[in-house]
Amino acid sequence: MKPVIVVHGGAWAIPDTLAEASVAGVKAAALAGSEVLKRGGRALDAVEAAVRMMEDDLVFDAGHGAVLNTDGEVELDAIIMEGETLAAGAVSSVRNIGNPVSLARAVMEKTDHVMLTGRGANLFAESIGVPTLPTDALVTEEERKEWEHRYKRYTVGVKELFNSQWGHDTVGAVALDSFGNVACATSTGGIRNKMVGRVGDSPVIGSGGYADNKTGAVSCTGHGESILKVTLARLILFHMDQGRTASEAAKSSLQFMRKRVQGCGGAIVVSPKGDWSATFTTERMAWAAVDENVLCYGLNPKEELKESLK
């Protein structure tokens, strides 16, 4: 089986000032995940490596670079899932953790649970020696200034942020390894000025991500409440199970979400045969994929650029 990895850095109206850095970030993440696959590593390891790299990149709203809630605090969500056994782990409303995707994997591998939230997730992190960081270490100076300048109540913020240019992005990865296994991972800091304790789609199985060797793997991005309402990841895989390609399944599901709940977003998808897609209905989505010896990437609608890796 030929390995494939696809990553995204969030579907939203990415401003020109962040465009170059966003594309560079997803390309680097895709290459990092691809290196894992080329060494014979598992899809699960590849998606974790790719998402960790984006969590460490300040340009993305995940881990380092996360946005702030109404109290000016960081609350992080993440999920990771592998398609062979449907094992999954997730964390939500986590504070002071630089790489929540790895904490989600620890929940999957070291507990009998699937999701830990808030204080419990942080206590678990402490119990297994995951280092914590002060909020200031996870937030850029620009984010702090933006939050202070544009602080509003969440009810107003949703209207402004819903499918808007003021940013709600997520990072994610899907992969197929040489053993025929698929995996997904998604991580986010959520929507700026969200209510304390708000959880979007990212850590929810079937919404922010899903992986099943029988149908494929998906990682979603966009307006979390809309994605939750239509369980977007599972909806995409449902269409693939009906015989549609990765691209067809993603497009029809995103169109349904827009029509049914007026929500925009994006998704990356890979099938068990290596068919993959990066699709979005927002103004832009930074994405990249490594398929054999070709690095594909894009930012704008219908854009697919390629670089040979030979």
Side-chain angles (χ1 to χ4, degrees):
M1 187 67 65
K2 63 171 185 175
V4 178
I5 186 164
V6 191
V7 308
H8 71 75
W12 59 296
I14 300 170
D16 291 341
T17 53
L18 295 179
E20 185 176 347
S22 296
V23 171
V26 293
K27 289 169 68 176
L31 290 170
S34 177
E35 284 301 313
V36 173
L37 296 174
K38 286 180 179 178
R39 296 194 301 265
R42 295 188 299 162
L44 190 70
D45 298 320
V47 296
E48 181 185 12
V51 169
R52 279 182 64 97
M53 177 161 282
M54 290 184 285
E55 287 176 338
D56 290 340
D57 190 331
L58 294 176
V59 76
F60 299 115
D61 172 22
H64 303 78
V67 297
L68 298 170
N69 65 17
T70 53
D71 278 1
E73 299 168 331
V74 168
E75 289 184 310
L76 306 170
D77 306 325
I79 190 174
I80 193 166
M81 185 173 186
E82 59 90 7
E84 183 178 13
T85 67
L86 304 187
V91 292
S92 66
S93 299
V94 171
R95 303 169 187 267
N96 308 330
I97 301 294
N99 295 111
V101 70
S102 293
L103 183 58
R105 182 168 180 176
V107 171
M108 177 181 76
E109 295 179 338
K110 298 182 179 182
T111 80
D112 294 326
H113 307 305
V114 170
M115 182 186 290
L116 294 178
T117 188
R119 176 173 170 269
N122 275 96
L123 287 173
F124 171 65
E126 183 180 336
S127 74
I128 61 173
V130 174
T132 59
L133 299 169
T135 295
D136 288 346
L138 297 174
V139 179
T140 65
E141 183 179 350
E142 290 78 10
E143 168 61 19
R144 179 68 67 180
K145 289 180 179 178
E146 184 78 356
W147 177 81
E148 291 174 350
H149 176 65
R150 304 186 68 161
Y151 177 86
K152 294 181 179 179
R153 290 185 180 274
Y154 181 69
T155 50
V156 177
V158 164
K159 293 178 182 178
E160 193 168 86
L161 288 166
F162 191 83
N163 307 328
S164 79
Q165 299 205 4
W166 196 30
H168 42 272
D169 67 342
T170 305
V171 304
V174 295
L176 168 69
D177 62 31
S178 58
F179 307 104
N181 297 313
V182 298
C184 73
T186 308
S187 181
T188 188
I191 298 176
R192 184 185 285 120
N193 284 342
K194 62 185 179 181
M195 289 178 65
V196 175
R198 176 266 188 186
V199 177
D201 68 288
S202 296
V204 179
I205 292 176
S207 292
Y210 201 82
D212 185 342
N213 281 4
K214 293 184 178 180
T215 47
V218 179
S219 173
C220 298
T221 172
H223 186 252
E225 281 73 10
S226 297
I227 293 171
L228 281 165
K229 290 173 183 177
V230 301
T231 55
L232 183 59
R234 282 294 286 141
L235 181 61
I236 291 170
L237 291 179
F238 167 78
H239 286 301
M240 291 177 67
D241 198 39
Q242 301 301 304
R244 296 192 180 187
T245 66
S247 178
E248 290 169 347
K251 286 179 181 177
S252 65
S253 299
L254 286 164
Q255 287 169 357
F256 171 79
M257 185 172 77
R258 173 181 267 178
K259 182 178 180 180
R260 189 70 176 86
V261 295
Q262 295 76 55
C264 289
I268 50 174
V269 188
V270 67
S271 79
K273 294 183 178 180
D275 174 35
W276 61 270
S277 174
T279 307
F280 56 99
T281 53
T282 52
E283 198 168 311
R284 284 173 162 175
M285 182 177 80
W287 66 271
V290 177
D291 187 352
E292 295 188 291
N293 291 313
V294 178
L295 171 65
C296 306
Y297 61 94
L299 179 71
N300 299 302
K302 300 181 180 179
E303 179 179 68
E304 183 175 331
L305 305 174
K306 295 183 179 182
E307 295 178 9
S308 174
L309 298 177
K310 290 183 179 181

